[in-house]
Amino acid sequence: MVGAGTAGAVRGGKHFDGIAALLAKFFLEAGYAPEDIRVNKKQGLELPGYYRPQKQWDVVVAHENTLVAAFELKALGGPSFGNNYNNRVEEALGSAVDLRRAALAELFPGEKPWLGYFFIMEDHPKSRVPIGTRDGVFPVESVWTGKSYQDRFAVFCERLMAEGLYDSVCYITSSPADPKPMEPAVHLDWRHFAAAINARIKYLADLGLPYERTLPF
């Protein structure tokens, strides 16, 4: 299991470098060249969108004309879990919908892009307590009743994959008092996330990717 540290540290960018390096390792060990793997802004992490010109992702693996994988690495901490929760939901949806539509517009000419989402939420009393919903024009779906922000995000992540917006999601929680990562949902744990990455690598390998580079004589 990845040692991701606390949500506060991740939110400050102190641990995402380690997570990005860990993700890069999957592809380096599979034979992708270092120049295929982009993990910092200086390398250029922008990918074309459909509803906007481009969007910066957190880890991008591209080989020839194929977007091998693109990852979002995000975090959510207190004290304002409500506002931040909604922002993270909208960000994740917007990024995936924009890129998926860009792929339909043939802006990614190779094999279909693969998207991964890594998320860590601060384990805090305010993120664990059940949150109510307000009365509106129509009733809220019952799946949200009695759910905490941690529970809500698990439902959200499961639906991201069910709808094909992301190909795999890893969702963990941690706290400053106990930095050891916890995994709220079995199918959103690191083991399943890693298996999905390896499955993507195997799929492309069966198609001959990465292509062998030949040196000029």
Side-chain angles (χ1 to χ4, degrees):
M1 176 61 208
V2 59
T6 70
V10 172
R11 192 170 62 252
K14 297 179 181 179
H15 287 280
F16 271 166
D17 286 349
I19 295 167
L22 184 59
L23 295 173
K25 185 178 178 182
F26 282 91
F27 300 94
L28 286 170
E29 292 182 346
Y32 287 90
E35 57 264 30
D36 290 336
I37 305 164
R38 303 177 181 220
V39 296
N40 65 62
K41 295 179 181 180
K42 292 182 180 180
Q43 295 172 308
L45 293 165
E46 286 78 15
L47 292 172
Y50 184 80
Y51 301 101
R52 54 188 164 184
Q54 56 186 184
K55 190 267 179 189
Q56 186 178 90
W57 290 68
D58 294 304
V59 177
V60 173
V61 183
H63 180 78
E64 300 290 342
N65 66 347
T66 292
L67 178 55
V68 175
F71 295 89
E72 288 275 67
L73 313 178
K74 302 300 177 186
L76 171 60
S80 181
F81 284 96
N83 289 337
N84 291 332
Y85 168 84
N86 288 327
N87 290 337
R88 293 296 176 268
V89 167
E90 291 168 7
E91 289 169 357
L93 287 172
S95 296
V97 169
D98 196 26
L99 192 143
R100 294 296 188 194
R101 186 60 185 84
L104 290 177
E106 300 182 351
L107 296 177
F108 300 94
E111 297 300 318
K112 180 182 176 182
W114 188 98
L115 304 182
Y117 188 68
F118 179 94
F119 189 84
I120 178 169
M121 182 181 292
E122 182 180 359
D123 182 40
H124 185 278
K126 288 184 178 180
S127 69
R128 292 193 300 266
V129 66
I131 304 299
T133 57
R134 296 179 180 178
D135 293 333
V137 179
F138 300 101
V140 172
E141 187 181 3
S142 61
V143 69
W144 304 110
T145 302
K147 293 288 195 297
S148 65
Y149 285 118
Q150 290 190 22
D151 297 333
R152 286 183 177 187
F153 216 86
V155 173
F156 170 63
C157 289
E158 289 168 349
R159 290 184 169 186
L160 285 177
M161 289 197 297
E163 295 295 322
L165 292 173
Y166 288 87
D167 296 282
S168 190
V169 176
C170 182
Y171 169 41
I172 65 177
T173 66
S174 74
S175 69
D178 184 9
K180 182 179 178 181
M182 295 175 287
E183 299 168 322
V186 173
H187 297 295
L188 302 174
D189 63 9
W190 177 258
R191 188 169 63 95
H192 284 79
F193 193 58
I197 296 171
N198 285 323
R200 171 63 169 178
I201 290 171
K202 175 63 166 55
Y203 173 81
L204 292 179
D206 288 345
L207 297 175
L209 274 74
Y211 300 122
E212 291 186 8
R213 290 175 169 83
T214 56
L215 297 176
F217 293 96

